[in-house]
Amino acid sequence: MKITKNDLIQFLTWTRNGISFCSCWFLILWLIFNYSFGIKNIATDNLIRMMFFIIGGVLIFSSVFTRLFFKKLLFVTRLSIFMIVFCVYECAVFYGTGFFQGSGSPALWLVFFGSILISYFVCIIIYHFYSNKKGELYTQALQAYQLKRREVNG
Protein backbone atom coordinates (compact mmCIF):
# COMPACT_ATOMS: atom_id res chain seq x y z
CA MET A 1 0.00 0.00 0.00
CA LYS A 2 1.58 3.22 -1.20
CA ILE A 3 0.51 6.39 0.59
CA THR A 4 0.63 9.41 -1.68
CA LYS A 5 1.16 12.96 -0.53
CA ASN A 6 -2.24 14.10 -1.84
CA ASP A 7 -4.06 11.31 -0.01
CA LEU A 8 -2.28 12.19 3.24
CA ILE A 9 -3.05 15.89 2.81
CA GLN A 10 -6.72 15.11 2.12
CA PHE A 11 -6.87 12.84 5.20
CA LEU A 12 -5.32 15.49 7.45
CA THR A 13 -7.50 18.26 5.99
CA TRP A 14 -10.69 16.24 6.45
CA THR A 15 -9.62 15.31 9.98
CA ARG A 16 -8.94 18.94 10.91
CA ASN A 17 -12.14 20.21 9.33
CA GLY A 18 -14.23 17.37 10.76
CA ILE A 19 -12.98 17.92 14.29
CA SER A 20 -13.63 21.66 14.01
CA PHE A 21 -17.10 21.25 12.50
CA CYS A 22 -18.26 18.52 14.91
CA SER A 23 -16.84 20.30 17.97
CA CYS A 24 -18.69 23.46 17.07
CA TRP A 25 -22.01 21.69 16.45
CA PHE A 26 -21.82 19.44 19.50
CA LEU A 27 -21.03 22.47 21.65
CA ILE A 28 -23.95 24.43 20.16
CA LEU A 29 -26.31 21.49 20.77
CA TRP A 30 -25.00 21.11 24.30
CA LEU A 31 -25.50 24.81 25.01
CA ILE A 32 -29.06 24.69 23.67
CA PHE A 33 -29.78 21.62 25.82
CA ASN A 34 -28.31 23.20 28.95
CA TYR A 35 -30.09 26.50 28.36
CA SER A 36 -33.41 24.70 27.80
CA PHE A 37 -33.13 22.84 31.10
CA GLY A 38 -31.60 25.68 33.14
CA ILE A 39 -28.20 24.01 33.54
CA LYS A 40 -25.58 26.71 34.18
CA ASN A 41 -22.28 24.78 33.87
CA ILE A 42 -20.54 22.35 31.55
CA ALA A 43 -17.99 20.19 33.34
CA THR A 44 -14.46 20.12 31.94
CA ASP A 45 -14.38 16.31 32.14
CA ASN A 46 -17.48 16.15 29.97
CA LEU A 47 -15.93 18.48 27.40
CA ILE A 48 -12.81 16.31 27.29
CA ARG A 49 -14.93 13.17 26.78
CA MET A 50 -16.84 14.94 24.02
CA MET A 51 -13.59 15.91 22.27
CA PHE A 52 -12.24 12.35 22.42
CA PHE A 53 -15.55 11.03 21.06
CA ILE A 54 -15.41 13.55 18.22
CA ILE A 55 -11.77 12.85 17.40
CA GLY A 56 -12.39 9.10 17.27
CA GLY A 57 -15.45 9.47 15.07
CA VAL A 58 -13.75 11.87 12.69
CA LEU A 59 -10.71 9.58 12.42
CA ILE A 60 -13.00 6.68 11.52
CA PHE A 61 -14.77 8.83 8.92
CA SER A 62 -11.56 10.19 7.40
CA SER A 63 -9.93 6.76 7.35
CA VAL A 64 -12.82 5.17 5.49
CA PHE A 65 -13.76 7.95 3.05
CA THR A 66 -10.35 9.23 1.99
CA ARG A 67 -8.16 7.12 -0.27
CA LEU A 68 -5.38 6.89 2.31
CA PHE A 69 -6.13 3.32 3.43
CA PHE A 70 -8.75 2.03 0.97
CA LYS A 71 -7.80 2.93 -2.60
CA LYS A 72 -10.45 1.35 -4.79
CA LEU A 73 -13.62 0.98 -2.75
CA LEU A 74 -16.92 2.25 -4.11
CA PHE A 75 -18.95 4.76 -2.12
CA VAL A 76 -21.59 2.29 -0.97
CA THR A 77 -18.89 -0.09 0.29
CA ARG A 78 -17.17 2.76 2.13
CA LEU A 79 -20.49 3.87 3.61
CA SER A 80 -21.27 0.32 4.76
CA ILE A 81 -17.86 -0.08 6.41
CA PHE A 82 -18.19 3.32 8.07
CA MET A 83 -21.68 2.63 9.42
CA ILE A 84 -20.66 -0.73 10.91
CA VAL A 85 -17.43 0.51 12.50
CA PHE A 86 -18.95 3.77 13.72
CA CYS A 87 -21.99 1.99 15.18
CA VAL A 88 -19.73 -0.27 17.25
CA TYR A 89 -17.61 2.76 18.26
CA GLU A 90 -20.71 4.75 19.19
CA CYS A 91 -22.06 1.93 21.38
CA ALA A 92 -18.70 1.58 23.12
CA VAL A 93 -18.50 5.33 23.78
CA PHE A 94 -22.10 5.52 24.99
CA TYR A 95 -21.54 2.65 27.41
CA GLY A 96 -18.19 4.13 28.50
CA THR A 97 -19.71 7.51 29.28
CA GLY A 98 -22.75 6.04 31.01
CA PHE A 99 -25.21 7.28 28.40
CA PHE A 100 -26.21 3.65 27.84
CA GLN A 101 -26.71 1.67 31.04
CA GLY A 102 -27.47 -2.01 31.42
CA SER A 103 -28.53 -4.06 28.44
CA GLY A 104 -31.34 -1.73 27.37
CA SER A 105 -34.77 -2.75 26.22
CA PRO A 106 -35.55 -4.19 22.78
CA ALA A 107 -37.53 -1.03 21.99
CA LEU A 108 -34.52 1.22 22.71
CA TRP A 109 -32.22 -0.94 20.58
CA LEU A 110 -34.81 -0.92 17.81
CA VAL A 111 -34.93 2.89 17.91
CA PHE A 112 -31.11 3.09 17.96
CA PHE A 113 -30.51 0.70 15.06
CA GLY A 114 -33.60 1.96 13.23
CA SER A 115 -32.24 5.50 13.19
CA ILE A 116 -28.90 4.18 11.91
CA LEU A 117 -30.55 2.13 9.15
CA ILE A 118 -32.77 5.04 8.11
CA SER A 119 -29.69 7.29 7.88
CA TYR A 120 -27.86 4.61 5.88
CA PHE A 121 -30.67 4.19 3.36
CA VAL A 122 -31.19 7.95 3.02
CA CYS A 123 -27.49 8.28 2.17
CA ILE A 124 -27.75 5.52 -0.44
CA ILE A 125 -30.84 7.10 -2.01
CA ILE A 126 -29.17 10.52 -2.17
CA TYR A 127 -26.05 8.94 -3.69
CA HIS A 128 -28.15 7.08 -6.26
CA PHE A 129 -29.83 10.27 -7.49
CA TYR A 130 -26.54 12.20 -7.36
CA SER A 131 -24.61 9.58 -9.33
CA ASN A 132 -27.39 9.29 -11.94
CA LYS A 133 -27.36 13.06 -12.46
CA LYS A 134 -23.55 13.15 -12.71
CA GLY A 135 -23.65 10.19 -15.12
CA GLU A 136 -26.07 12.04 -17.38
CA LEU A 137 -23.90 15.19 -17.31
CA TYR A 138 -20.78 13.14 -18.10
CA THR A 139 -22.53 11.39 -20.99
CA GLN A 140 -23.73 14.70 -22.44
CA ALA A 141 -20.24 16.21 -22.15
CA LEU A 142 -18.70 13.13 -23.79
CA GLN A 143 -21.21 13.24 -26.67
CA ALA A 144 -20.57 16.96 -27.21
CA TYR A 145 -16.81 16.33 -27.24
CA GLN A 146 -17.17 13.46 -29.72
CA LEU A 147 -19.35 15.59 -31.99
CA LYS A 148 -16.82 18.43 -31.88
CA ARG A 149 -13.96 16.04 -32.68
CA ARG A 150 -15.91 14.61 -35.66
CA GLU A 151 -16.47 18.12 -37.00
CA VAL A 152 -12.80 19.06 -36.59
CA ASN A 153 -11.47 15.82 -38.13
CA GLY A 154 -14.10 15.73 -40.85
Side-chain angles (χ1 to χ4, degrees), residues 122-142:
V122 166
C123 287
I124 289 177
I125 290 167
I126 291 170
Y127 174 72
H128 175 73
F129 287 115
Y130 173 80
S131 63
N132 282 348
K133 185 171 177 93
K134 285 294 183 180
E136 290 171 10
L137 291 173
Y138 176 78
T139 302
Q140 290 172 356
L142 180 61

Side-chain angles (χ1 to χ4, degrees), residues 78-148:
R78 290 177 188 272
L79 181 64
S80 299
I81 291 169
F82 171 74
M83 293 300 278
I84 291 167
V85 173
F86 188 74
C87 188
V88 170
Y89 174 73
E90 190 175 24
C91 287
V93 168
F94 284 167
Y95 272 111
T97 59
F99 188 76
F100 285 175
Q101 296 177 352
S103 61
S105 69
L108 288 176
W109 282 108
L110 185 63
V111 168
F112 178 72
F113 284 114
S115 64
I116 291 170
L117 285 175
I118 288 169
S119 299
Y120 176 76
F121 288 121
V122 166
C123 287
I124 289 177
I125 290 167
I126 291 170
Y127 174 72
H128 175 73
F129 287 115
Y130 173 80
S131 63
N132 282 348
K133 185 171 177 93
K134 285 294 183 180
E136 290 171 10
L137 291 173
Y138 176 78
T139 302
Q140 290 172 356
L142 180 61
Q143 289 170 344
Y145 173 77
Q146 289 172 338
L147 181 63
K148 181 180 173 185

Side-chain angles (χ1 to χ4, degrees), residues 6-8 11 17 19 27 39 46-47 50 56 59 86 92 102 132 134 137 146 149 154:
N6 289 339
D7 293 337
L8 182 61
F11 174 80
N17 293 348
I19 291 170
L27 188 56
I39 301 170
N46 292 338
L47 285 174
M50 181 188 78
L59 286 174
F86 188 74
N132 282 348
K134 285 294 183 180
L137 291 173
Q146 289 172 338
R149 295 299 301 161

